[in-house]
Structures are given as structure tokens and as C-alpha cells.
Amino acid sequence: MYKLKEIAEKVYYVGVNDRQKVLFENMWPLPYGVSYNSYLIVDEKTVLVDTVDVCYADSFLKKIADALDGRSLDYLIVNHMEPDHAGSIRLLRQAYPEVQIVGNKRTFEMLNGFHGITTGLHEVKDGDSLCIGKHTLSFYFAPMVHWPEVMVTYDQTDKILFSADAFGTYGALDGGVIDTELLLDHFWDEMRRYYANIVGKYGSPVQKALQKLSGLDIQIICSTHGPVWTKHIPEVIQIYDQLSRYEGEDGVVVIYGSMYGNTEQMAEAIASSLSAHGVKKIVVHNVSKSHSSYILRDIFKYKGVIIGCPTYCNQLYPEIDSLVSKIELREVKNRVFGYFGSFSWAGAAVKRLAAFAEKMKWEVVGEPVEQKQGLQPDKYEACWKLGEEMAKRINNH
Ligand code: FEO
């Protein structure tokens, strides 16, 4: 029944689109949905690479049965054990009891923990290969991209990299599967957002993996999320390389919390000053309105970060406090930072933002501005000066 996309000869896309889930990981919005990608290689042996979220197991298993056309499934390669990809393993095993599951030692610990599966295992070591007929598949471990058991599979025959979450992005596949047959406009920012939300903390392991894979001739990237990359492989690798080096573009993200608009006026003054002093890429986020998913994306995208908020119960405004903890968790590096705050009777926000800057080892530019109650002319000037100092730093690289 299914007319499956053939990515290379007898290599089929058998993944699914999820347009129902509201929040990925129950945290991150999915305005364009998400895909869970899986691939089936039909050779002398039949090999499935990863599965899908268990909610979509029904159509997933039907696609596999169609592609196998009566043959059995010989191998399941598990590149990643997170349940958005490994969730259907138990049902797959029930449908194909003879299938050998290919993974590493850590994969199998998790396979037991999540699914109670301890038999029919084919353990591989870093660099091992498996010949399945015309295709020879090699396995390269990529620990902490972004789980410890992660590995990637390289098909030497068709030069395909099955890359697990690496090079993945939010966004369902609208009709096509390969980058050349999809509208790509929204995928670039969705890729940055996916990286910032999911992989962000693990820049160093991503760099190690990129280094390790740099010697391979890669013609096709089959990630577990988003388009199959062919024509746009250089752009995709460049985005992952830049993000994992924490290298920001020359722009500034201004983030503020504000209860009654006084701190907001400070943010507006700073943003206007940035523009007046030549910064072209400025994004302003009201932390109570912009989801942190998007704010994190922009913090990963731009070199300059300015944060401000009121003092709340002698602490940071809680929404900013929550954002700051998400930034700390991701250990974002090499940002140029400015900060400001307000209070009604006793200030704490500015000194807490100073402590945050120190913890992050970020370079502080300009003088922090602290305002008591409503915005006064001298504080407006101080905000303008902060914007000017940040602009100088960004424009001079
Ligand atoms: Fe898409 Fe780490 O799972």
C-alpha cells in the first residue's frame, strides 16, 4: 500500500510525522511538528535503522511490512535509545522475534532498562563494520551527542551517514523527505532552536564527533529528525559546527522581564541605542511572552546578550530566574553580556545578574543600570550608554 521514498537504491524512508504533540520533551513548542525518522535497507540482509515514537508504531510497522514484502527483518540498528526513536523497539521485536538488535554496551544497558530486552543482541565496538550484502555498514560512537550510548552508522556503499539526532531539526516533513523536495525556509531557525533546546550543553562532544566524521565521504545525511540532507549538507554541518563552538553571530538579543512596564522601558531604550549605534541584528524578548525555547535559540545564535528584570522578593524576577537556570544548564560560552534591573524599595536583581555573569565567565560590557521605581532621565541615558557600549563591542568583533 505505502509508496515509500527510496533515498538510495533499496534504502527506504519509513519514518513518521508527528503533528499532534504540542511540546517536545513536554517542554519545547512544535509549531511545525516534528518527524521521527527511520530507514530500511533491503539487501541480502534486511536492516532497519532506529524506530519511532511508540504513538506512531502502528503505521510505522505497516510501512516496514510493505517494504519487506514478505521477507523477515534481520537487523535493527539502534543508534540512540531515547524513546522518540527507541519507543517502538518492543513492538518491533514482537512483530519480528528473530531480529538481531545492533548496539553497543551502553545501548544494551538501556534496552534492558526501558524494554526488558536482553537477548538477540549483536554488540559492536567503535569502528566495527557489518556486511549485509552490497552494503557495508560501519559504526562510530558519538557519546554525549546528547546521550552516552549514541552512535552513528555509515553506509560505505551509498555514502550515507545515519546520524542519530545530529544534524536534526524540529519540523515535520511536508510531503517530501529529501531537502531538495521540501520548503526549507523555516528549517534553519528550527534547527538552531532544536540544537539550543536539546543538544546545547554538549558542544564539546559534538565537536569531537564532527572531527571524528570529518574523514568520511558523506553524500547523504539521514538524521532522526527533519529532512534527509543531500544538497545542503555544507550548510547543515556549518550550523552544527558554529553552534557547538558557541560562536555567535554579530547581533544582540535583549531579554527582559517586567511587571508594570518600567523595566520594559529600559529594554526599549537599550534596543534603540543598539540600532542607533549600528547593530543590524537585534532581537527583543519579553520573557513572559516569548517561550524560553526561542530565547535560548537566539542566545545560541547571537554573540551579544543583554538581560534585565525587576527585583522580586529579593530575588530575580522568577521568569528570568528560570531562563537564567536554563542558560546555566547549557553552559553557554563566549557571550558578551550587559545587564540591568529595577526595584521599588530594595534592589537585588542587578547583583544577582552580576553573579550570573561571573558564573558563566561571560565578558561584561558597559555599566549595569539599576533603576528605582519609574524611569528617570539619568537612567535613560545610562541605558542608552549601555546599548552604545554593547554596539561598539559587537561592531568591533
Ligand atoms: Fe530525538 Fe535524543 O532523541
Side-chain angles (χ1 to χ4, degrees), residues 184-385:
L184 292 178
D185 294 354
H186 62 285
F187 277 112
W188 305 117
D189 264 354
E190 284 296 87
M191 177 175 280
R192 290 186 180 89
R193 190 165 68 90
Y194 172 82
Y195 183 94
N197 295 173
I198 309 299
V199 190
K201 178 182 168 72
Y202 301 104
S204 171
V206 171
Q207 278 291 307
K208 281 194 190 114
L210 288 172
Q211 194 64 35
K212 195 170 186 174
L213 302 174
S214 63
L216 299 177
D217 176 9
I218 299 169
Q219 300 295 324
I220 304 175
I221 292 179
C222 291
S223 171
T224 44
H225 298 291
V228 167
W229 299 107
T230 56
K231 183 180 171 194
H232 295 279
I233 287 174
E235 292 101 301
V236 168
I237 291 179
Q238 192 268 335
I239 288 175
Y240 265 73
D241 183 42
Q242 186 176 7
L243 291 170
S244 58
R245 281 189 284 109
Y246 301 95
E247 189 182 285
E249 295 175 20
D250 291 339
V252 182
V253 52
V254 180
I255 306 141
Y256 69 92
S258 186
M259 287 183 280
Y260 299 105
N262 293 304
T263 320
E264 184 174 56
Q265 289 180 51
M266 301 174 80
E268 292 288 3
I270 292 165
S272 296
S273 174
L274 287 168
S275 179
H277 291 98
V279 178
K280 302 287 183 219
K281 296 173 182 171
I282 305 163
V283 182
V284 180
H285 284 292
N286 173 353
V287 75
S288 302
K289 198 162 182 192
S290 297
H291 193 285
S292 60
S293 173
Y294 296 86
I295 303 176
L296 289 168
R297 175 198 65 193
D298 290 334
I299 289 170
F300 270 80
K301 189 170 181 180
Y302 297 115
K303 187 192 295 174
V305 178
I306 300 180
I307 299 180
C309 72
T311 296
Y312 195 98
C313 298
N314 205 33
Q315 300 288 333
L316 289 172
Y317 183 59
E319 300 299 320
I320 288 287
D321 197 39
S322 168
L323 177 72
V324 158
S325 83
K326 290 182 176 102
I327 299 169
E328 287 178 3
L329 185 146
R330 284 162 180 75
E331 299 173 17
V332 181
K333 295 172 183 47
N334 304 329
R335 289 302 177 263
V336 179
F337 185 54
Y339 57 100
F340 62 100
S342 68
F343 63 94
S344 293
W345 67 91
V350 163
K351 74 176 181 213
R352 293 189 188 282
L353 287 170
F356 163 71
E358 200 172 319
K359 190 169 178 185
M360 298 301 295
K361 300 190 176 72
W362 284 0
E363 175 192 338
V364 174
V365 294
E367 281 297 314
V369 189
E370 189 168 35
Q371 166 186 274
K372 184 175 182 182
Q373 298 149 7
L375 183 58
Q376 303 299 317
D378 62 327
K379 297 298 178 184
Y380 181 88
E381 285 302 322
C383 289
W384 192 263
K385 186 74 183 160

Side-chain angles (χ1 to χ4, degrees), residues 24-25 36 80 82-85 146-147 165 194 198 224-225:
F24 193 73
E25 290 188 345
Y36 312 118
H80 183 21
E82 194 161 10
D84 52 335
H85 311 296
H146 61 128
W147 276 30
D165 282 342
Y194 172 82
I198 309 299
T224 44
H225 298 291

